[in-house]
Amino acid sequence: MSISLRSLILLPIWISMAHIQQGGPDEKEKTTALKDLLSRIDLDELMKKDEPPLDFPDTLEGFEYAFNEKGQLRHIKTGEPFVFNYREDLHRWNQKRYEALGEIITKYVYELLEKDCNLKKISIPVDASESEPKSFIFMSEDALTNPQKLMVLIHGSGVVRAGQWARRLIINEDLDSGTQIPFIKRAMDEGYGVIVLNPNENYIEVEKPKIHVQSSSDSSDEPAEKRERKDKVSKETKKRRDFYEKYRNPQREKEMMQLYIRENGSPEEHAVYVWDHFIAQSAAENVFFVAHSYGGLAFVELMIQREADVKSKVTAVALTDSVHNVWHQEAGKTIREWMRENCCNWVSSSEPLDTSVESMLPDCPRVSAG
């Protein structure tokens, strides 16, 4: 039987409480005091002391993983799939390791979009200054000039970025399952221009600036000797506080702040921005969307804000497990009618592929994804 570190920390206190509760009134006071002590223990902070450093490799090779010829992530030495519980009973550390690997995979997929799919990385906002936060999308060479057809891909919410459907599938299954690359390659083979949106890249993170509090003695008329004495006490106090903070929370991470990207601060804003500055300017007679999960909601929001324009350019929309809701989003009757004719939502179902699935909403047909 394995006992968790958390249990080992609390075991002596639980035993003490069990003995005390068998006593009289005086013992009850001790029980109350112990309960108060227990409530003051920050177990999450305490357990960080036993974590290895949150210092992870910044390359796949550093993690000792690589994608094989089937696009599966495998350990370089053992050939085994990715293991989440790399360290027993250290869930937070394992999660941080998983997130660090995920960031590397995001950059890896970006490289594949440029090298394998020949897409161009386009910075947005298009008129951004050198110093302001920026995002980007990916486009094929002919995305704006192809006179016939244009394919637009929108992923869902969460940690996924341009070119991905699901990070979990990339790590645990393969690149074909978790990325948009098969869609992009087939679209290009069939003569489509391609635009890949990046709706979750809404801000950049920077470290919060440290606030320097000016010493009250700096602006006072106190004698120099008294001022020096106060400064010495202040420095000693800061030294003790810093030492205590380092002991209390040795794994303290940097405090970050978010700087939002102009006109792209949400997936919905991003969809409208890319429509206005790219899709609406394209030469394509027929525009097609593939939108997954929250991407479907973003598309409906785009329709609400640019209804006439969308109807004039968009031929069909393939939704996959879309989370849009025409009632909550207040989509009008004309939008709902257009969606019934031009959209289809493939949803998770045990029914055979393309079997009709009942829907409570009066918008587009729902069919099984198989």
Side-chain angles (χ1 to χ4, degrees), residues 132-152:
E132 75 172 294
K134 291 179 272 295
S135 181
F136 50 87
I137 59 172
F138 289 90
M139 298 198 314
S140 63
E141 198 75 43
D142 66 340
L144 303 184
T145 59
N146 188 316
Q148 297 302 318
K149 46 195 180 179
L150 172 67
M151 179 76 73
V152 181

Side-chain angles (χ1 to χ4, degrees), residues 124 126-127 144 263 272-282:
I124 55 174
V126 293
D127 59 346
L144 303 184
E263 297 180 79
V272 172
Y273 185 89
V274 176
W275 176 272
D276 288 345
H277 292 84
F278 299 95
I279 304 168
Q281 312 300 325
S282 68

Side-chain angles (χ1 to χ4, degrees), residues 57 59-66 74-78 80 86:
T59 63
L60 276 178
E61 293 76 17
F63 269 95
E64 296 189 326
Y65 280 96
R74 293 291 183 264
H75 195 276
I76 293 169
K77 295 177 181 174
T78 66
E80 293 295 313
Y86 188 73

Side-chain angles (χ1 to χ4, degrees), residues 65-334:
Y65 280 96
F67 286 99
N68 63 20
E69 66 282 355
K70 295 179 180 178
Q72 300 165 321
L73 188 69
R74 293 291 183 264
H75 195 276
I76 293 169
K77 295 177 181 174
T78 66
E80 293 295 313
F82 177 76
V83 176
F84 179 86
N85 288 315
Y86 188 73
R87 302 233 178 187
E88 198 69 30
D89 203 28
L90 286 174
H91 180 80
R92 193 183 92 105
W93 187 90
N94 288 328
Q95 179 64 32
K96 292 289 183 184
R97 174 176 173 265
Y98 178 81
E99 290 168 8
L101 176 65
E103 291 302 310
I104 294 169
I105 285 173
T106 291
K107 292 173 185 172
Y108 182 81
V109 172
Y110 289 160
E111 289 177 13
L112 292 179
L113 294 181
E114 292 187 282
K115 292 176 183 175
D116 283 18
C117 302
N118 298 314
L119 301 186
K120 295 189 298 179
K121 190 177 184 180
I122 307 296
S123 182
I124 55 174
V126 293
D127 59 346
S129 66
E130 193 66 35
S131 58
E132 75 172 294
K134 291 179 272 295
S135 181
F136 50 87
I137 59 172
F138 289 90
M139 298 198 314
S140 63
E141 198 75 43
D142 66 340
L144 303 184
T145 59
N146 188 316
Q148 297 302 318
K149 46 195 180 179
L150 172 67
M151 179 76 73
V152 181
L153 302 175
I154 317 179
H155 59 62
S157 61
V159 296
V160 289
R161 293 295 185 268
Q164 300 181 41
W165 292 128
R167 178 185 286 181
R168 178 181 58 81
L169 290 179
I170 297 172
I171 292 174
N172 297 322
E173 298 293 333
D174 54 44
L175 289 166
D176 278 358
S177 301
T179 75
Q180 298 172 351
I181 289 171
F183 288 74
I184 294 165
K185 287 184 174 179
R186 179 169 173 180
M188 294 176 80
D189 286 345
E190 295 188 11
Y192 288 80
V194 175
I195 294 181
V196 177
L197 271 63
N198 199 10
N200 293 336
E201 193 83 13
N202 307 128
Y203 54 81
I204 62 168
E205 283 194 326
V206 296
E207 191 174 355
K208 273 188 180 179
K210 292 179 181 176
I211 300 171
H212 297 285
V213 181
Q214 190 178 23
S215 173
S216 59
S217 61
D218 292 348
S219 57
S220 71
D221 296 326
E222 290 177 332
E225 187 181 338
K226 186 176 181 181
R227 196 158 59 240
E228 285 173 13
R229 201 161 51 244
K230 283 179 73 173
D231 286 344
K232 186 178 179 183
V233 171
S234 177
K235 285 175 184 174
E236 287 297 322
T237 303
K238 184 179 183 303
K239 189 176 178 181
R240 282 197 300 272
R241 188 172 62 243
D242 290 347
F243 176 81
Y244 169 74
E245 183 61 30
K246 188 176 180 182
Y247 169 77
R248 188 187 71 83
N249 187 2
Q251 293 275 49
R252 194 173 108 173
E253 296 161 65
K254 293 176 182 176
E255 287 191 72
M256 308 298 284
M257 61 187 290
Q258 297 170 349
L259 300 178
Y260 279 84
I261 296 159
R262 174 165 53 89
E263 297 180 79
N264 287 269
S266 70
E268 297 91 327
E269 271 192 10
H270 177 76
V272 172
Y273 185 89
V274 176
W275 176 272
D276 288 345
H277 292 84
F278 299 95
I279 304 168
Q281 312 300 325
S282 68
E285 189 177 333
N286 300 289
V287 175
F288 300 85
F289 275 79
V290 179
H292 176 61
S293 186
Y294 201 89
L297 185 149
F299 173 79
V300 172
E301 189 60 33
L302 170 63
M303 274 216 76
I304 291 168
Q305 296 195 37
R306 301 288 187 272
E307 182 176 352
D309 293 342
V310 169
K311 285 180 177 179
S312 70
K313 283 190 78 73
V314 177
T315 302
V317 181
L319 303 170
T320 59
D321 277 325
S322 175
V323 298
H324 72 275
N325 187 304
V326 290
W327 293 139
H328 292 165
Q329 293 181 260
E330 298 182 356
K333 182 182 177 184
T334 54

